[in-house]
Amino acid sequence: MNGMTTAARSPRPDTPVVIAGGGPAGLAAAAELAWHGVGSVVIEPRPQVSHRRPRAKTTSIRTMEHLRRWGLAGRLRAAAPLPVAWSQRVTFCASLSGRRITDFDGAFGLVTGRDDRFAEAGQQVPQPVVEEVLRAHLQRRPEVDLRLGQSVTALAQDGAGVTVTVRAPGGGTYPLRARYVLGCDGAAGVVRDQLGARYAGRSDPRPNFNLVFRAPGLETALGPAVQYWVVGGATTGVLGRLDLAGTWWAGLPGIDAGYGAAHASELVTGLIGGPAEHEVLATDPWTARMLIADTFAGGRVFLVGESAHVNPPWGGHGFNTCVGDAVNIGWKIAAVEQGWAPPALLASYDPERRGVVEQTVASAASHLGRLAGDLPADADAIQRAKHPEFHSLGLVLGYSYAGSPVIQPSACTRPASDLSRFTPAADPGARLPHAWLPDGSSLYDHLGRGLTLVGPVREHAAAVTALAARAAARSIPLTLREPPPGYPWRTEFLLVRPDQHIAWRSDDPAGIDLGVVTGAERIPGQVPS
Ligand SMILES: Cc1cc2nc3c(=O)[nH]c(=O)nc-3n(C[C@H](O)[C@H](O)[C@H](O)COP(=O)(O)OP(=O)(O)OC[C@H]3O[C@@H](n4cnc5c(N)ncnc54)[C@H](O)[C@@H]3O)c2cc1C
């Protein structure tokens, strides 16, 4: 590791975790750690969040389920300028004032009714709003020290911890000692280099140009939609409302920074399909990249979010994948800090998340040849080409950690092949199939912060008591839950991790290997990597 020094006599650090970067990944990691009662110091250079670069707008069903766990789903929905009930639609059109070509309803997990398969619907909400809700939450949490206007400049690991060099607002630097460091500092951060990790992958040669504009009088006869795709004409791109008060965003593929800056107003007019009073507030040129770091971890340092991988925003998975990383490493560090798992558990972070990241990056890359400028103004062709981009529940909820060294070995180790369709399954590694309880709460609301055994616990009291004794001997917090009425897996035992994934599935609790699940023991017969 670059910047690594050996100082075997260094004291044990006081701070459990230093998080470099307070974007979505860093804030989510701090929230996950705090939910487990584990402290962190978050170092973030931006004193304020900028609404002029809205970036992600799609908060997935899965991210909303994580926010629900932290008690934040309702707060995010209250802060989101576009309620789910306002629109669940993506509309393709000749222009905002032109003809409708076709629609996709229920896009991005936007549903208004209750669905048995998940605890929360998706939400369209600009990334800065998500960051503000997370910042406000963390500022109220005693476990979190959010240091704004500061940046990480270097790291040095030793036997007992990591020394992080931080640049303070005045320009001077100071050291921070931590037992673990999370590199959540994005694609341009320093932690990846300090770790000696390298991105591999490619960039789309075509530029993209985003802008934010104000047009309070702008209306469309096409009706509410979270995205309007303008295809088939001279100006092609996507636009949508950021709020219901006249602020809009637009994204134009194939437009470079120079042309975009010089012709921003013309481009807006082209997407609208005629003159409309507007003011361009900000522009944001960007490149679609498909990059994955060769390692996500080194010693006590972990790359989380875009510092580990970058994918194009098509399909809306980028920020959501970053939150998934944060939850995965967050609960594992908490388990180690709380003494119910050894540090070996942390070695499962890279293999578990790498599979999900590869699947997500490949999916986003598959949409690259189907951008607004590539599509004909033909409803059938658009429906065929774009369905997987707007309906991707198989990817959002069907990903699995099967094959992980801390998951029960099973025959189901291949990722879902149909990324649009999601069928709940109780295979080891899968997200626990969701269910609503008679009182209207979610099964997820009743899981513990450690491991949870969901199964016929009353009927098999002796076997369950024996498992609970084995858990207690390892100091593992174990919650016992009867499955809800009508649950398809009522007769089996599902051992569920804090991230709601199934670690073990068995007819008999005696068969559950707590050593494997916590990383204390290897799967019998598994060769060390
Ligand atoms: C145009 C566009 C549209 C997008 N749309 C979507 C979408 O709809 N859905 C979706 O899921 N994703 C989308 N994304 C992707 C999403 O924006 C990113 O995936 C997300 O921001 C990554 O989060 P992160 O926290 O890993 O990194 P970042 O957001 O890059 O955050 C990194 C943080 O680290 C800080 N930092 C940098 N250097 C240092 C340092 N030395 N020390 C400490 N801190 C540092 C930065 O200030 C920053 O706050 C989109 C991206 C783009 C470009």
Side-chain angles (χ1 to χ4, degrees), residues 108 167 355 388 507:
F108 302 122
R167 182 176 292 122
D507 292 336

Side-chain angles (χ1 to χ4, degrees), residues 1 8 117 124-125 153 178 184 189 199 201 242 283 285 300 306 328 345 352 354 434 445 450 453 464 473 481:
M1 174 182 161
R117 296 171 301 168
Q124 290 289 301
V125 50
T153 59
C184 301
Y199 278 150
L242 283 172
T283 60
R300 295 170 172 274
E306 277 208 349
N328 190 293
L345 175 66
E352 288 194 353
R354 187 168 293 277
H434 178 263
D445 300 340
L453 186 71
V464 171
R481 278 282 153 243

Side-chain angles (χ1 to χ4, degrees), residues 51 78 205 220 386 429 435 439 457:
H51 286 259
T220 171
K386 301 301 277 186
D439 67 359
V457 293

Side-chain angles (χ1 to χ4, degrees), residues 15-19 33 38-42 178-182 333 337:
T15 304
V17 187
V18 166
I19 299 176
L33 287 162
V38 173
S40 64
V41 178
V42 183
R179 289 195 279 285
Y180 299 100
V181 169
L182 301 183
I333 289 180
E337 281 290 304

Side-chain angles (χ1 to χ4, degrees), residues 21 24-25 44-46 56-57 127 152 185 210 306 313 316-320:
E44 165 58 41
R46 293 172 300 150
K57 288 115 207 149
Q127 184 172 326
V152 170
D185 49 348
N210 276 24
E306 277 208 349
H317 303 293
F319 128 77
N320 295 295

